[in-house]
Amino acid sequence: MGNIILQMQNITKVFPGVRALDQVNIEVTEGEIHAICGENGAGKSTLMNVLSGIYPYGTYEGDIIYQGQECRFHNIKDSEHKGIVIIHQELALVPYLSIAENMFLGNERATVGVVDWDLTNQKAAEYMGIVGLRENPRTLIKDIGMGKQQLVEIAKALAKDVKLLILDEPTSSLNEGDAKNLLDLLLKFKLEKGITSILISHKLNELAYCADKITVIRDGHSIETLVKGKDDISEARIIKGMVGREMTHRFPPREHMIGDVAFEIRNWTAYHPLYSDRKVVDNASMVIHRGEVVGIAGLIGAGRTELAMSVFGRAYGTNISGELFKDGKPISLHTIPQAIQAGLAYVTEDRKGNGLIIPDSIKHNLTLARPEFISERGILDKDLEVHKAKDLRQRLGVKAPTVEQLVANLSGGNQQKVLVGKWIFAQPDVLIMDEPTRGVDVGAKYEIYQIINDLVAMGKAVLMISSELPELLGMCDRIYVMNESRVIAELPAQEASQESIMGYIMQDSKKEIGA
Amino acid sequence: MNTVKSKFKGNLKQYGMLIALVVIIVFFNILTQGRLLKPMNVSNIVFQNAYVVILAVGMLLCILTGGNIDLAVGSVVALVSAFAGQFIIVWNMNVYLSIVLCLIIGILVGAWQGFWIAYVRIPAFIVTLSGMLVFRGLTLLVLNGMTLAPFPSEYLMFSTGFIAKDAKMMLFGLNINIVCLLAGVAIALIFSVIQIISNQSRKRKGYQADSGLALALKLVIISVALIWFFALLAQYQGIPSVLVILGILLVVYTFFTTKTVVGRHIYALGGNEKAARLSGVKTNRLLFLAYVNMGFLAAVGGLVFAARLNSASPLTGQSFELDAIGACYIGGASAYGGVGTVSGTLIGALIMGVLNNGMSILGISSNTQQVVKGLVLLGAVAFDVIGKMNLSLFAKRKKAVAAGRET
């Protein structure tokens, strides 16, 4: 085959507390479609952000060699100048501008700053023809569907004279037909224009369809590169590469003492808050016992968070239906305060956005959900608050000099402990923990697992959502698998393996596509 | 030692503004050859700024909910004073009944704005901009474009009067209002006793308490400042009635923001609305109540100001909203919400007030005064922003040094 167009050598990228990429190597040949796959959080997107200059030179270690030259990109403009264009999972289009305006945004057809709109629209029509987008260039972006928007992004990349096109999960929000169109377009570019593509996806059937090479990334390491026609690129083989890792002493031991049913969700259905015809949870049922850790596995967008939040006092979704039982008695939770009073807690996956008040102190964050525990008739007892906060800080091992410390100044792991602590303070019976170890390092993960073990030892029930399968397998007594808004399987921990869970998801996705 | 240091650092912004206030007072007192702190002028400063403090406290709560401001405040002040004039002067209604009705009107206005902001989620800027026009227009309609005057003395007493004006006697060779002086001493005493008792109870329960020396020092400074202030007032006519209203409001709102669950929830709402909602805070209702409260305090401000002018004029209260917003920001409130204190707001309002008063005594034109006030506002906020920037730059540099050491 052709020349090597891109080499990324020993790329290491460290975020506070996390090593997102560790000595990653990847080599892309000119004119190929190179797929990168890995679990959520394996470091795929981080790697592409390094390549495109979003994380500028100097914030990572290692070398990028592109077309035989070492490159030091300081921003996106630098990489685009060289013909490297990245299309993100969340499209970067302006909804109230037209297709043509979006296509030439930052790349305007202008002389001395005055835009030539006729030329812009004509050129836009040209590129739209190439990608097979039949629309008026003057149509606003908000008026066309996701599939067409994706095509606009690709046309935009062509307008920048792209040589290396990077697509981050391009088909995640497309239906089967649009997805196939898109992949065919990539194949066409490869043949007709010699454009090299890097495709990030975890839809393995797509990779098998169009990729020439597949590089597997796991936990920030590049594991292997499989070549089509030379190596086995079956789904089973790729899954093995994605998940196969050692699992010794990563989880603290726990005595399993499972009691009565603590919480039950029956026939739970919820719809998207904006697109009220889209089901986000479809007839889901679950049972959680006292002293039990129950896991929910699934890909991003499978409906796990939506299920948890809609149960938690209808914090998300519309047209919610279904029944909830706590300790065998039916309950109805219409507001978040009701859910908290009923003994539920929801530890959010997004600690900065939805969980903590970052510019406030540890003690204020810890007591926020149940101020009645530190007040009498609405009047706060601040001394009691400090006292209780100190106790909790010690119990959870939050590393901070005082409880007056602002949460903003804590590391990710310690922030996560404060978030968990806030809900422990609320004294719930049922804790729903959404990605409880996201973005924290291995040491802090272990400590959080220990906290979870302590909670269930006290007879509480924990429902744990996680995208890290080893974590679910290591921590849970039972695992539910969700896909496409539905609960598709329930497995006791002994019977579950990473391969079997991924297998269920792949099977179910295929059924969906076949239907 | 460490905690003292961190405590000092944490309060630096507020102490910084307090120090700035003291510096400004000393500066103008020297420039005006002592006229600034003449008893009569101190009394004047209280009268001149009472309404700003009242409005600023209401504005603070709105700003705390997430940087929301109320541009309609000046118009609501005008509307309420117009109704006061209509009720009392034109219709000869009972003064007390009129005051209650005016407060209810303020609350209704606040509920109107709060409804659109909190439940329909129209940005506060737009709702209150509309309110600014609507309530100014209603003022003109009520007054028919005319000015109503004068109010009966029974009404003026609440704002421009003095408490026990005639209780005067000669003391240390000065003609002193003894009630005022005693009130100052009593307030200093009560404050000290409360502080000592709460510190003792903290010690008894085994919580962290101030050391005896630190507490004594704090109480002496505050008591001396309080008694000195009241002694100055005593040399003139005594305690202005409006100071009583102010004092009550400041105590109540300080207590509300620092000691109650609802007060805590307001800070949480401004700090991170989504997190607050997921923690069971009723965010919409709180936002609504912040504006209802603003309406109530705007009505109080309107009543006070109408008495000070001794008339109800359609032009009353123009740009009052800007004074109130400025006081909050100078006093350390964050433009994004979640940060700010009642005491800081009081200091912010006083900085503006003393600047105004001092420059007026010096005969500086009001045009120049505006320029100075504008620059002070920008300067105060820039001080805050740049201070934070330095901190984060410093932290980054420290990190970079640490990283360099690792490799």
Side-chain angles (χ1 to χ4, degrees), chain A residues 16 61 309 312 314-316 336-337 340 346 348 350-360 363-364 367-372 374-375 378-385 387 390 402 422-423, chain B residues 2-3 6-7 198-199 201-203 205-208 255-265 267-282 337-339 399 406-407:
Chain A
E61 288 161 38
M309 286 183 74
F312 185 64
R314 313 202 161 182
Y316 177 90
I336 293 165
I340 294 173
Y346 171 68
T348 173
D350 179 7
R351 68 171 167 266
K352 287 200 167 146
N354 290 339
L356 295 169
I357 297 171
I358 298 290
D360 209 344
K363 61 174 184 183
H364 287 177
T367 57
L368 182 61
R370 285 307 271 276
E372 58 264 42
I374 49 154
S375 62
I379 311 293
L380 295 167
D381 183 342
K382 291 189 162 186
D383 299 318
L384 185 64
E385 175 176 32
H387 181 72
K390 274 184 177 168
T402 68
K422 164 177 150 179
W423 289 108
Chain B
N2 210 355
T3 53
S6 71
K7 222 176 187 174
S198 78
N199 206 49
S201 98
R202 242 179 251 173
K203 256 187 204 157
K205 289 187 200 158
Y207 298 137
Q208 193 181 353
F255 183 81
F256 171 73
T257 50
T258 60
K259 295 268 161 78
T260 65
V261 171
V262 182
R264 173 68 60 79
H265 280 176
Y267 283 91
L269 168 63
N272 183 345
E273 179 170 354
K274 281 195 262 175
R277 193 175 78 89
L278 280 178
S279 305
V281 174
K282 291 167 181 148
V339 178
K399 239 181 225 166
E406 259 172 43
T407 47

Side-chain angles (χ1 to χ4, degrees), chain B residues 261-332:
Chain B
V261 171
V262 182
R264 173 68 60 79
H265 280 176
I266 288 184
Y267 283 91
L269 168 63
N272 183 345
E273 179 170 354
K274 281 195 262 175
R277 193 175 78 89
L278 280 178
S279 305
V281 174
K282 291 167 181 148
T283 50
N284 287 353
R285 188 191 294 177
L286 267 187
L287 192 54
F288 174 73
L289 289 178
Y291 277 88
V292 171
N293 176 68
M294 180 76 254
F296 168 72
L297 286 181
V300 175
L303 291 170
V304 166
F305 197 73
R308 178 165 163 72
L309 280 187
N310 198 5
S311 67
S313 142
L315 296 178
T316 304
Q318 267 169 348
S319 82
F320 278 16
E321 56 280 350
L322 303 182
D323 290 336
I325 296 166
C328 292
Y329 290 154
I330 292 177

Side-chain angles (χ1 to χ4, degrees), chain A residues 126-281:
Chain A
E126 223 169 86
Y127 287 116
M128 285 162 68
I130 297 175
V131 298
L133 176 60
R134 278 178 295 278
E135 281 287 344
N136 187 329
R138 290 184 176 81
T139 306
L140 299 187
I141 286 295
K142 72 176 178 64
D143 297 327
I144 61 177
M146 284 300 290
K148 288 182 174 176
Q149 290 185 12
Q150 195 67 258
L151 294 179
V152 173
E153 279 278 15
I154 291 172
K156 186 176 168 184
L158 291 178
K160 286 174 185 160
D161 201 12
V162 62
K163 295 196 181 66
L164 176 62
L165 182 63
I166 305 166
L167 300 112
D168 192 353
E169 306 266 2
T171 60
S172 62
S173 47
L174 301 188
N175 64 33
E176 177 69 359
D178 284 346
K180 181 150 187 314
N181 272 342
L182 187 87
L183 298 176
D184 286 340
L185 199 59
L186 292 185
L187 289 168
K188 184 177 123 187
F189 287 164
K190 177 178 111 173
L191 291 175
E192 292 177 4
K193 294 179 180 284
I195 293 176
T196 315
S197 308
I198 296 180
L199 176 67
I200 298 177
S201 175
H202 51 220
K203 294 195 180 165
L204 301 182
N205 51 345
E206 290 180 357
L207 302 188
Y209 176 68
C210 70
D212 298 305
K213 282 184 200 157
I214 299 171
T215 294
V216 178
I217 295 187
R218 183 205 309 156
D219 290 344
H221 299 271
S222 42
I223 300 301
E224 57 191 351
T225 298
L226 306 169
V227 182
K228 193 176 196 169
K230 204 165 108 196
D231 298 300
D232 173 16
I233 57 164
S234 67
E235 285 176 23
R237 175 67 189 81
I238 298 173
I239 290 174
K240 194 171 160 239
M242 277 164 62
V243 298
R245 63 186 124 181
E246 291 172 67
M247 282 183 50
T248 44
H249 301 303
R250 287 185 51 204
F251 304 96
R254 165 161 65 93
E255 288 211 15
H256 297 265
M257 291 194 302
I258 293 168
D260 300 333
V261 172
F263 191 64
E264 189 177 351
I265 302 167
R266 236 181 251 170
N267 305 327
W268 198 256
T269 299
Y271 290 82
H272 194 279
L274 294 180
Y275 309 104
S276 51
D277 54 339
R278 194 196 296 170
K279 265 186 196 175
V280 289
V281 181

